[in-house]
Amino acid sequence: MSPVTAQDYARTVRTAPQALREVRLEVARYLGSQGLEKITDDVLLIVTELLSNVYKHVHDKESLVRIIVRGASCRISVSDSSWDTPSVRTPSLENLDGRGMFLVSQLDPHWMVEITNHGKRIVCSVPVPGLTVRSGLGQW
């Protein structure tokens, strides 16, 4: 993974409803400062769903949120201490849970799980409109 630069966003958070609100505000400000307002809704949806999963399913509730923009791609990752991996479920009227990763997969069908020494990292990418990746750029 790329080192964090001054233009990247990184925050360790103990996931709770109030912290989720703060992270959403910070991420929106970060994207605005980078001129990326067009992707704010998609990035916030992904961050919200991934952090909600940490809150619901990870014992210690700790996570690291990173947003890295390189070339024409915005990479969003959320790391936590659990090795349990999320799955995409088909939404149904009978089951009110399980829509989060379905929504994430609609925004990035190629999202992935990276297993780490301390748990996992969920990684998603959102294209940055109006930019194209040239040879040698956009590499992680």
Side-chain angles (χ1 to χ4, degrees), residues 32-87:
S33 75
Q34 301 299 308
L36 300 172
E37 294 86 356
K38 289 181 179 180
I39 63 170
T40 298
D41 289 342
D42 291 349
V43 172
L44 289 178
L45 187 144
I46 290 170
V47 168
T48 300
E49 293 304 332
L50 297 180
L51 287 177
S52 294
N53 280 349
V54 173
Y55 182 71
K56 291 177 188 174
H57 304 292
V58 178
H59 177 70
D60 68 8
K61 310 293 185 225
E62 293 276 329
S63 60
L64 171 63
V65 178
R66 290 183 74 182
I67 300 174
I68 301 171
V69 179
R70 298 288 185 274
S73 184
C74 176
R75 176 178 162 134
I76 304 114
S77 67
V78 174
S79 304
D80 63 53
S81 63
S82 171
W83 285 285
D84 294 337
T85 59
S87 60

Side-chain angles (χ1 to χ4, degrees), residues 120-131:
K120 70 177 171 301
R121 177 175 29 253
I122 309 296
V123 182
C124 304
S125 292
V126 172
V128 177
L131 297 178

Side-chain angles (χ1 to χ4, degrees), residues 106-124:
Q106 299 305 297
L107 294 171
D108 179 8
H110 306 290
W111 68 274
M112 64 181 168
V113 179
E114 298 174 342
I115 300 300
T116 68
N117 290 335
H118 305 288
K120 70 177 171 301
R121 177 175 29 253
I122 309 296
V123 182
C124 304

Side-chain angles (χ1 to χ4, degrees), residues 15-33:
T15 312
Q18 182 60 28
L20 182 57
R21 181 180 181 280
E22 292 169 12
V23 170
R24 287 176 51 85
L25 290 171
E26 283 181 10
V27 168
R29 278 194 298 269
Y30 163 75
L31 293 170
S33 75

